[in-house]
């Protein structure tokens, strides 16, 4: 295949591709249109070198240097004109899709920034929730620890109260025993005193009885002596 035919076929493909591109659209479609237009422009630029060479030869006026006949010259020049027209169309297309693609990139960047901000906020909220959960857990554990301490303190207080009550009871029992001991001693002393008094009273009564008996005996003896004296008989 000659250079002209390859160039003409490639140009036809590029024209068809541009014609089928349609409206550039917005968003990702605009970015895709921009990439597609750039690719077509790149291929058209590469084709431009060969077309320019053939066009230069077709425009040669020196009969000795001409390589194309009249018919071929017209075809080559038409190919060059079509290529130039395609180049302008691609430039127009690029100018059309560029702001749309830039707007799409700006929106995408804004959306990405918003998504990142939302993700950061969500991460911050998640961290806050985790911190709150951790704080609640710490508070719960602290509460349990405090309850255990309170229970230990209450148990210790109860044990102290039990010991104090036991000590009070012991002291009360000791005091009661001492008081009973003193009361028993007082009762024994009182009984001994009463016994001594009764014994002394009994001795006194016995002594009085003995004295009374001696007096009675003496009185009888005196009476007998008197009676004997009266009768003149010796006393017996």
């Amino acid at each position: 295949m000659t250079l002209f035919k390859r160039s003409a076929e490639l140009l036809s493909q590029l024209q068809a591709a541009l014609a089928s591109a349609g409206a550039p659209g917005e968003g990702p479609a605009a970015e895709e249109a921009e990439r597609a237009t750039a690719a077509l422009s790149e291929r058209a630029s590469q084709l431009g070198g060969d077309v320019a060479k053939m066009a230069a030869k077709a425009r040669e006026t020196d009969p000795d240097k001409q390589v194309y006949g009249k018919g071929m010259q017209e075809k080559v020049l038409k190919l060059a004109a079509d290529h130039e027209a395609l180049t302008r169309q691609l430039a127009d297309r690029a100018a059309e899709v560029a702001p749309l693609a830039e707007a799409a990139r700006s929106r995408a960047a804004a959306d990405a920034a918003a998504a990142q901000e939302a993700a950061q906020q969500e991460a911050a909220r998640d961290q806050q929730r985790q911190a709150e959960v951790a704080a609640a857990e710490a508070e719960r554990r602290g509460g349990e620890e405090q309850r255990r301490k309170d229970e230990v303190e209450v148990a210790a207080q109860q044990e102290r109260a039990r010991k104090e009550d036991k000590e009070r009871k012991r002291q009360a029992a000791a005091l009661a025993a001492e008081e009973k001991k003193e009361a028993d001693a007082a009762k024994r002393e009182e009984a001994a005193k009463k016994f001594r008094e009764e014994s002394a009273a009994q001795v006194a009564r016995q002594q009085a009885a003995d004295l009374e008996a001696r007096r009675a005996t003496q009185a009888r003896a005196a009476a007998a002596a008197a009676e004997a004296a009266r009768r003149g008989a010796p006393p017996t």
Side-chain angles (χ1 to χ4, degrees), residues 75-204:
K75 290 180 180 180
V76 170
L77 293 177
K78 184 178 184 306
L79 177 65
D82 290 342
H83 180 270
E84 185 178 355
L86 176 64
T87 302
R88 288 195 301 271
Q89 292 171 355
L90 288 172
D92 293 341
R93 175 77 172 184
E96 180 185 8
V97 299
L100 298 175
E102 182 61 28
R105 284 190 289 270
S106 297
R107 284 194 298 272
D111 291 343
Q116 183 179 8
E117 178 65 20
Q120 291 175 347
Q121 292 178 355
E122 180 59 28
R125 286 192 293 270
D126 187 59
Q127 290 179 350
Q128 179 64 26
R129 287 191 294 269
Q130 291 178 359
E132 291 174 355
V133 170
E137 179 64 16
E139 183 177 359
R140 182 186 67 78
R141 291 180 179 177
E144 291 179 354
E145 181 65 22
Q146 186 59 44
R147 282 194 295 274
R148 285 194 292 269
K149 289 181 179 180
D150 293 343
E151 290 173 356
V152 170
E153 180 61 25
V154 169
Q157 291 177 355
Q158 291 176 345
E159 180 63 16
R160 287 195 297 271
R162 186 188 66 79
K163 290 181 178 180
E164 290 173 357
D165 183 64
K166 182 178 180 181
E167 179 61 19
R168 285 194 297 270
K169 289 180 179 179
R170 187 193 66 78
Q171 292 178 356
L175 180 61
E178 184 65 23
E179 290 177 349
K180 184 176 183 301
K181 181 178 179 181
E182 292 177 356
D184 291 343
K187 287 180 180 180
R188 288 194 297 271
E189 180 63 25
E190 182 66 22
K193 180 180 179 182
K194 183 175 181 181
F195 177 76
R196 289 193 298 272
E197 291 176 350
E198 289 179 352
S199 297
Q202 184 176 4
V203 170

Side-chain angles (χ1 to χ4, degrees), residues 7 10-11 14-15 40-52 76-90:
S7 299
L10 180 55
L11 179 62
L14 294 176
Q15 289 171 331
L40 291 175
S41 297
E42 177 64 23
R43 294 177 65 188
S45 177
Q46 293 173 354
L47 175 62
D50 293 336
V51 172
V76 170
L77 293 177
K78 184 178 184 306
L79 177 65
D82 290 342
H83 180 270
E84 185 178 355
L86 176 64
T87 302
R88 288 195 301 271
Q89 292 171 355
L90 288 172

